[in-house]
Amino acid sequence: MTLAIALMLYGATVATLGPPVLRRLTRRGNAPRLGIIAWVVAIVGTLGAWAAAATMLTVEFATYWGHPHDALRACFAIMWNPIHDGSGATKAVTFAVGALVAACTMAVVARAVSVVREMRRRTHAHAKALRLVGRRMPGLGALVLDSPERQAYCVPGRPDTIVVTSAALDALAPDQLAAVLAHERAHLSGRHAPLTAVLRAIATTLPGLRLVTAGTAEITRLLEMCADDKAADKHGSEPLLGGLLAILGVSEALPDGAMAAAGTAVLARAERLVDPVSRIRRATTRTALLGVIAATVTGLAFVAATVAFCSAVLG
């Protein structure tokens, strides 16, 4: 029970302190890949700690509930003698909390899985429809969709699909088009869409948890910057920036699971491409992010080790 409580407190601490610290370190995108890792570690550490606590309480509850007479006696003890401190009353409260936490955890997991499946179904259906109505152009490596909207986006599926509208083709110069397509290929090769799908499902399930909601938005923005970096390394910053500005102002809603070149934080990404940070500043940000990651991981290990040591000493 002590370890479960410690894990819940650890998760609450990371969920409270994590968002402002990580947002400050990742808002400029100085080290986008490491920023993504830091956010994911914080989210996984928090949810993992709470899930572990729920599992421990569930196991203890199930063990105790195997003796129904003791369970009833404990319940009567807490109802009739709420003021007095008794082991039965304490266990009844513990087990009630454990049952509640476990039930909430299972509900969250079931809801998140359901959302991910629905998003995947819609994404695959959209990709299938695109392959029916889109047309291939030799050497382009993408489907062309006749539309007045300037769009370029990728849809994961079997196979993965990159879509460019006819309006975007008319607006983009050849070097800009190559850079935009490289940006979308970076999303697909990096498997960015599945990560964002899982995070959005968790954020939908836990809308009140700022670590997840803010983390999902920040990770999505950082993934775009990662794709920008790959495209810029191959085709240069100027063609990519010109391509982003050429297709800026998308008004049509994108399908679930799609990732558009000019769909997220375009202004921040444009500033980053125009005015890249110095190596010293990038190294400083990397060091700070590595420190946050280490603190998150070692904090969890420290909590478990401390509780185990105290239990051994006092036990």
Side-chain angles (χ1 to χ4, degrees):
M1 175 182 173
T2 304
L3 180 56
I5 294 174
L7 289 173
M8 286 190 286
L9 291 176
Y10 163 84
T13 302
V14 176
T16 302
L17 301 180
V21 173
L22 288 174
R23 186 177 290 165
R24 182 179 181 84
L25 292 175
T26 60
R27 63 184 178 184
R28 184 66 175 83
N30 296 342
R33 291 176 181 82
L34 202 57
I36 293 169
I37 294 173
W39 276 105
V40 170
V41 167
I43 293 173
V44 172
T46 298
L47 299 182
W50 287 343
T55 301
M56 292 177 186
L57 292 174
T58 301
V59 171
E60 189 171 354
F61 176 81
T63 301
Y64 187 74
W65 197 255
H67 304 81
H69 295 293
D70 294 337
L72 290 174
R73 191 178 301 112
C75 292
F76 279 117
I78 193 173
M79 286 189 294
W80 290 104
N81 300 299
I83 299 178
H84 301 289
D85 182 21
S87 60
T90 302
K91 288 183 178 181
V93 172
T94 302
F95 299 145
V97 172
L100 179 61
V101 172
C104 291
T105 302
M106 289 186 290
V108 167
V109 172
R111 172 63 177 166
V113 171
S114 175
V115 172
V116 168
R117 287 180 176 176
E118 178 62 19
M119 291 177 64
R120 183 179 180 183
R121 185 190 65 79
R122 292 182 181 180
T123 300
H124 287 185
H126 182 77
K128 184 177 180 179
L130 287 173
R131 289 191 289 272
L132 292 176
V133 300
R135 50 189 170 87
R136 294 280 183 183
M137 289 184 63
L140 185 60
L143 282 176
V144 178
L145 188 65
D146 292 323
S147 172
E149 299 286 344
R150 299 189 304 276
Q151 288 187 343
Y153 60 92
C154 63
V155 181
R158 297 178 181 176
D160 297 331
T161 305
I162 298 177
V163 179
V164 181
T165 62
S166 55
L169 284 178
D170 295 337
L172 293 170
D175 59 342
Q176 294 173 347
L177 177 60
V180 169
L181 292 179
H183 173 98
E184 299 304 331
R185 282 193 290 270
H187 279 315
L188 294 174
S189 62
R191 309 306 298 171
H192 295 171
L195 174 60
T196 56
V198 172
L199 290 172
R200 287 170 183 168
I202 298 174
T204 301
T205 308
L206 299 171
L209 186 58
R210 190 169 56 136
L211 176 64
V212 176
T213 54
T216 299
E218 289 296 310
I219 290 173
T220 301
R221 188 173 62 89
L222 292 170
L223 288 172
E224 293 294 341
M225 292 179 178
C226 288
D228 286 344
D229 288 344
K230 281 196 172 183
D233 288 343
K234 188 173 183 180
H235 298 280
S237 298
E238 290 186 8
L240 177 61
L241 180 58
L244 293 177
L245 296 177
I247 59 178
L248 183 62
V250 175
S251 60
E252 184 179 345
L254 293 173
D256 290 337
M259 304 190 74
T264 303
V266 178
L267 179 58
R269 292 160 54 199
E271 292 176 350
R272 183 172 174 269
L273 291 171
V274 171
D275 184 23
V277 297
S278 63
R279 291 185 177 180
I280 295 177
R281 190 171 180 181
R282 184 179 294 110
T284 302
T285 303
R286 286 178 178 272
T287 302
L289 286 171
L290 286 172
V292 171
I293 294 171
T296 305
V297 175
T298 57
L300 181 58
F302 177 77
V303 167
T306 301
V307 172
F309 176 77
C310 292
S311 300
V313 171
L314 299 176

mmCIF file of all heavy atoms in Angstrom, residues 21-22 25-26 31 33-39 41 282-298:
data_model
loop_
_atom_site.group_PDB
_atom_site.id
_atom_site.type_symbol
_atom_site.label_atom_id
_atom_site.label_comp_id
_atom_site.label_asym_id
_atom_site.label_seq_id
_atom_site.Cartn_x
_atom_site.Cartn_y
_atom_site.Cartn_z
ATOM 1 N N VAL A 21 7.661 23.151 -17.260
ATOM 2 C CA VAL A 21 9.095 22.982 -17.483
ATOM 3 C C VAL A 21 9.372 22.529 -18.908
ATOM 4 O O VAL A 21 10.220 23.103 -19.624
ATOM 5 C CB VAL A 21 9.678 21.973 -16.471
ATOM 6 C CG1 VAL A 21 11.137 21.659 -16.806
ATOM 7 C CG2 VAL A 21 9.570 22.519 -15.050
ATOM 8 N N LEU A 22 8.664 21.510 -19.366
ATOM 9 C CA LEU A 22 8.906 20.973 -20.709
ATOM 10 C C LEU A 22 8.484 21.958 -21.798
ATOM 11 O O LEU A 22 9.150 22.068 -22.828
ATOM 12 C CB LEU A 22 8.155 19.652 -20.869
ATOM 13 C CG LEU A 22 8.731 18.473 -20.080
ATOM 14 C CD1 LEU A 22 7.822 17.262 -20.186
ATOM 15 C CD2 LEU A 22 10.130 18.130 -20.571
ATOM 16 N N LEU A 25 11.193 24.432 -22.351
ATOM 17 C CA LEU A 25 12.382 23.894 -23.007
ATOM 18 C C LEU A 25 12.145 23.525 -24.468
ATOM 19 O O LEU A 25 13.108 23.470 -25.244
ATOM 20 C CB LEU A 25 12.870 22.654 -22.244
ATOM 21 C CG LEU A 25 13.445 22.892 -20.840
ATOM 22 C CD1 LEU A 25 13.761 21.569 -20.163
ATOM 23 C CD2 LEU A 25 14.694 23.768 -20.908
ATOM 24 N N THR A 26 10.902 23.251 -24.864
ATOM 25 C CA THR A 26 10.637 22.746 -26.216
ATOM 26 C C THR A 26 9.914 23.729 -27.123
ATOM 27 O O THR A 26 9.713 23.432 -28.302
ATOM 28 C CB THR A 26 9.805 21.446 -26.145
ATOM 29 O OG1 THR A 26 8.556 21.715 -25.485
ATOM 30 C CG2 THR A 26 10.540 20.373 -25.368
ATOM 31 N N ALA A 31 15.794 21.352 -29.997
ATOM 32 C CA ALA A 31 16.147 19.923 -30.082
ATOM 33 C C ALA A 31 14.845 19.135 -30.136
ATOM 34 O O ALA A 31 14.422 18.556 -29.134
ATOM 35 C CB ALA A 31 17.006 19.506 -28.894
ATOM 36 N N ARG A 33 13.719 16.274 -31.460
ATOM 37 C CA ARG A 33 13.659 14.831 -31.172
ATOM 38 C C ARG A 33 13.809 14.567 -29.672
ATOM 39 O O ARG A 33 13.066 13.763 -29.102
ATOM 40 C CB ARG A 33 14.746 14.099 -31.948
ATOM 41 C CG ARG A 33 14.516 14.080 -33.455
ATOM 42 C CD ARG A 33 15.667 13.416 -34.184
ATOM 43 N NE ARG A 33 15.461 13.417 -35.629
ATOM 44 C CZ ARG A 33 15.717 14.443 -36.422
ATOM 45 N NH1 ARG A 33 16.209 15.565 -35.908
ATOM 46 N NH2 ARG A 33 15.488 14.384 -37.720
ATOM 47 N N LEU A 34 14.735 15.226 -29.057
ATOM 48 C CA LEU A 34 14.931 15.044 -27.622
ATOM 49 C C LEU A 34 13.748 15.612 -26.839
ATOM 50 O O LEU A 34 13.373 15.076 -25.789
ATOM 51 C CB LEU A 34 16.227 15.724 -27.186
ATOM 52 C CG LEU A 34 16.873 15.228 -25.885
ATOM 53 C CD1 LEU A 34 17.148 13.734 -25.974
ATOM 54 C CD2 LEU A 34 18.158 15.988 -25.612
ATOM 55 N N GLY A 35 13.151 16.681 -27.360
ATOM 56 C CA GLY A 35 11.954 17.225 -26.723
ATOM 57 C C GLY A 35 10.801 16.237 -26.737
ATOM 58 O O GLY A 35 10.066 16.095 -25.750
ATOM 59 N N ILE A 36 10.639 15.541 -27.852
ATOM 60 C CA ILE A 36 9.595 14.522 -27.947
ATOM 61 C C ILE A 36 9.838 13.418 -26.925
ATOM 62 O O ILE A 36 8.917 12.973 -26.228
ATOM 63 C CB ILE A 36 9.546 13.940 -29.371
ATOM 64 C CG1 ILE A 36 9.075 15.001 -30.366
ATOM 65 C CG2 ILE A 36 8.628 12.712 -29.434
ATOM 66 C CD1 ILE A 36 9.238 14.605 -31.818
ATOM 67 N N ILE A 37 11.091 12.974 -26.826
ATOM 68 C CA ILE A 37 11.423 11.920 -25.867
ATOM 69 C C ILE A 37 11.111 12.369 -24.446
ATOM 70 O O ILE A 37 10.554 11.612 -23.637
ATOM 71 C CB ILE A 37 12.904 11.527 -25.998
ATOM 72 C CG1 ILE A 37 13.156 10.879 -27.365
ATOM 73 C CG2 ILE A 37 13.317 10.575 -24.887
ATOM 74 C CD1 ILE A 37 14.622 10.611 -27.648
ATOM 75 N N ALA A 38 11.440 13.630 -24.131
ATOM 76 C CA ALA A 38 11.193 14.137 -22.774
ATOM 77 C C ALA A 38 9.707 14.155 -22.450
ATOM 78 O O ALA A 38 9.289 13.752 -21.356
ATOM 79 C CB ALA A 38 11.787 15.541 -22.634
ATOM 80 N N TRP A 39 8.883 14.624 -23.383
ATOM 81 C CA TRP A 39 7.426 14.635 -23.163
ATOM 82 C C TRP A 39 6.896 13.213 -23.023
ATOM 83 O O TRP A 39 6.078 12.928 -22.129
ATOM 84 C CB TRP A 39 6.725 15.338 -24.314
ATOM 85 C CG TRP A 39 6.657 16.818 -24.205
ATOM 86 C CD1 TRP A 39 7.393 17.740 -24.897
ATOM 87 C CD2 TRP A 39 5.779 17.584 -23.361
ATOM 88 N NE1 TRP A 39 7.040 19.014 -24.531
ATOM 89 C CE2 TRP A 39 6.053 18.956 -23.597
ATOM 90 C CE3 TRP A 39 4.803 17.241 -22.432
ATOM 91 C CZ2 TRP A 39 5.371 19.976 -22.930
ATOM 92 C CZ3 TRP A 39 4.120 18.253 -21.764
ATOM 93 C CH2 TRP A 39 4.403 19.600 -22.013
ATOM 94 N N VAL A 41 8.471 10.464 -22.102
ATOM 95 C CA VAL A 41 8.925 9.871 -20.841
ATOM 96 C C VAL A 41 8.082 10.371 -19.675
ATOM 97 O O VAL A 41 7.689 9.603 -18.787
ATOM 98 C CB VAL A 41 10.420 10.179 -20.609
ATOM 99 C CG1 VAL A 41 10.830 9.854 -19.177
ATOM 100 C CG2 VAL A 41 11.280 9.385 -21.579
ATOM 101 N N ARG A 282 21.609 25.265 -28.803
ATOM 102 C CA ARG A 282 21.072 23.919 -29.025
ATOM 103 C C ARG A 282 21.666 22.927 -28.019
ATOM 104 O O ARG A 282 20.959 22.083 -27.475
ATOM 105 C CB ARG A 282 21.362 23.469 -30.454
ATOM 106 C CG ARG A 282 20.750 22.113 -30.803
ATOM 107 C CD ARG A 282 21.027 21.705 -32.224
ATOM 108 N NE ARG A 282 20.365 22.572 -33.179
ATOM 109 C CZ ARG A 282 20.989 23.435 -33.968
ATOM 110 N NH1 ARG A 282 22.304 23.556 -33.911
ATOM 111 N NH2 ARG A 282 20.316 24.188 -34.812
ATOM 112 N N ALA A 283 22.973 23.057 -27.770
ATOM 113 C CA ALA A 283 23.621 22.167 -26.800
ATOM 114 C C ALA A 283 23.088 22.409 -25.392
ATOM 115 O O ALA A 283 22.895 21.459 -24.621
ATOM 116 C CB ALA A 283 25.130 22.383 -26.834
ATOM 117 N N THR A 284 22.817 23.662 -25.064
ATOM 118 C CA THR A 284 22.269 23.977 -23.742
ATOM 119 C C THR A 284 20.886 23.355 -23.565
ATOM 120 O O THR A 284 20.573 22.782 -22.509
ATOM 121 C CB THR A 284 22.188 25.500 -23.555
ATOM 122 O OG1 THR A 284 23.491 26.070 -23.709
ATOM 123 C CG2 THR A 284 21.637 25.848 -22.180
ATOM 124 N N THR A 285 20.058 23.473 -24.605
ATOM 125 C CA THR A 285 18.718 22.886 -24.540
ATOM 126 C C THR A 285 18.785 21.370 -24.429
ATOM 127 O O THR A 285 18.031 20.753 -23.664
ATOM 128 C CB THR A 285 17.903 23.282 -25.782
ATOM 129 O OG1 THR A 285 17.848 24.702 -25.880
ATOM 130 C CG2 THR A 285 16.492 22.725 -25.698
ATOM 131 N N ARG A 286 19.679 20.763 -25.185
ATOM 132 C CA ARG A 286 19.839 19.303 -25.114
ATOM 133 C C ARG A 286 20.234 18.859 -23.706
ATOM 134 O O ARG A 286 19.702 17.874 -23.173
ATOM 135 C CB ARG A 286 20.895 18.842 -26.117
ATOM 136 C CG ARG A 286 20.452 18.860 -27.569
ATOM 137 C CD ARG A 286 21.592 18.427 -28.478
ATOM 138 N NE ARG A 286 21.189 18.387 -29.866
ATOM 139 C CZ ARG A 286 20.644 17.338 -30.460
ATOM 140 N NH1 ARG A 286 20.448 16.231 -29.753
ATOM 141 N NH2 ARG A 286 20.292 17.377 -31.727
ATOM 142 N N THR A 287 21.161 19.592 -23.110
ATOM 143 C CA THR A 287 21.605 19.243 -21.758
ATOM 144 C C THR A 287 20.457 19.341 -20.758
ATOM 145 O O THR A 287 20.277 18.469 -19.898
ATOM 146 C CB THR A 287 22.757 20.168 -21.326
ATOM 147 O OG1 THR A 287 23.840 20.062 -22.266
ATOM 148 C CG2 THR A 287 23.254 19.799 -19.942
ATOM 149 N N ALA A 288 19.668 20.428 -20.877
ATOM 150 C CA ALA A 288 18.536 20.609 -19.971
ATOM 151 C C ALA A 288 17.504 19.507 -20.156
ATOM 152 O O ALA A 288 16.962 18.969 -19.174
ATOM 153 C CB ALA A 288 17.899 21.974 -20.197
ATOM 154 N N LEU A 289 17.222 19.134 -21.395
ATOM 155 C CA LEU A 289 16.241 18.081 -21.651
ATOM 156 C C LEU A 289 16.737 16.729 -21.143
ATOM 157 O O LEU A 289 15.962 15.940 -20.597
ATOM 158 C CB LEU A 289 15.937 17.999 -23.152
ATOM 159 C CG LEU A 289 15.075 19.129 -23.711
ATOM 160 C CD1 LEU A 289 15.034 19.068 -25.234
ATOM 161 C CD2 LEU A 289 13.662 19.058 -23.148
ATOM 162 N N LEU A 290 18.028 16.454 -21.330
ATOM 163 C CA LEU A 290 18.583 15.215 -20.801
ATOM 164 C C LEU A 290 18.475 15.180 -19.280
ATOM 165 O O LEU A 290 18.208 14.132 -18.689
ATOM 166 C CB LEU A 290 20.049 15.069 -21.232
ATOM 167 C CG LEU A 290 20.292 14.690 -22.693
ATOM 168 C CD1 LEU A 290 21.775 14.768 -23.022
ATOM 169 C CD2 LEU A 290 19.759 13.292 -22.989
ATOM 170 N N GLY A 291 18.661 16.335 -18.647
ATOM 171 C CA GLY A 291 18.503 16.404 -17.202
ATOM 172 C C GLY A 291 17.080 16.115 -16.763
ATOM 173 O O GLY A 291 16.853 15.412 -15.773
ATOM 174 N N VAL A 292 16.102 16.657 -17.495
ATOM 175 C CA VAL A 292 14.699 16.406 -17.170
ATOM 176 C C VAL A 292 14.355 14.930 -17.347
ATOM 177 O O VAL A 292 13.671 14.325 -16.513
ATOM 178 C CB VAL A 292 13.780 17.287 -18.046
ATOM 179 C CG1 VAL A 292 12.326 16.875 -17.879
ATOM 180 C CG2 VAL A 292 13.961 18.755 -17.689
ATOM 181 N N ILE A 293 14.834 14.339 -18.443
ATOM 182 C CA ILE A 293 14.579 12.916 -18.682
ATOM 183 C C ILE A 293 15.185 12.070 -17.567
ATOM 184 O O ILE A 293 14.544 11.156 -17.028
ATOM 185 C CB ILE A 293 15.142 12.497 -20.050
ATOM 186 C CG1 ILE A 293 14.378 13.202 -21.176
ATOM 187 C CG2 ILE A 293 15.066 10.982 -20.225
ATOM 188 C CD1 ILE A 293 15.017 13.019 -22.543
ATOM 189 N N ALA A 294 16.433 12.382 -17.212
ATOM 190 C CA ALA A 294 17.099 11.624 -16.144
ATOM 191 C C ALA A 294 16.374 11.788 -14.813
ATOM 192 O O ALA A 294 16.204 10.819 -14.061
ATOM 193 C CB ALA A 294 18.552 12.088 -16.019
ATOM 194 N N ALA A 295 15.923 13.005 -14.525
ATOM 195 C CA ALA A 295 15.214 13.243 -13.266
ATOM 196 C C ALA A 295 13.897 12.479 -13.224
ATOM 197 O O ALA A 295 13.510 11.931 -12.174
ATOM 198 C CB ALA A 295 14.962 14.739 -13.092
ATOM 199 N N THR A 296 13.202 12.419 -14.351
ATOM 200 C CA THR A 296 11.921 11.699 -14.394
ATOM 201 C C THR A 296 12.111 10.210 -14.173
ATOM 202 O O THR A 296 11.379 9.585 -13.402
ATOM 203 C CB THR A 296 11.230 11.937 -15.750
ATOM 204 O OG1 THR A 296 11.091 13.344 -15.986
ATOM 205 C CG2 THR A 296 9.853 11.296 -15.769
ATOM 206 N N VAL A 297 13.104 9.649 -14.834
ATOM 207 C CA VAL A 297 13.345 8.201 -14.722
ATOM 208 C C VAL A 297 13.906 7.837 -13.345
ATOM 209 O O VAL A 297 13.418 6.911 -12.683
ATOM 210 C CB VAL A 297 14.300 7.727 -15.830
ATOM 211 C CG1 VAL A 297 14.662 6.256 -15.643
ATOM 212 C CG2 VAL A 297 13.669 7.944 -17.193
ATOM 213 N N THR A 298 14.916 8.580 -12.909
ATOM 214 C CA THR A 298 15.528 8.267 -11.619
ATOM 215 C C THR A 298 14.587 8.577 -10.456
ATOM 216 O O THR A 298 14.670 7.934 -9.406
ATOM 217 C CB THR A 298 16.841 9.050 -11.433
ATOM 218 O OG1 THR A 298 16.575 10.462 -11.559
ATOM 219 C CG2 THR A 298 17.869 8.638 -12.460
#
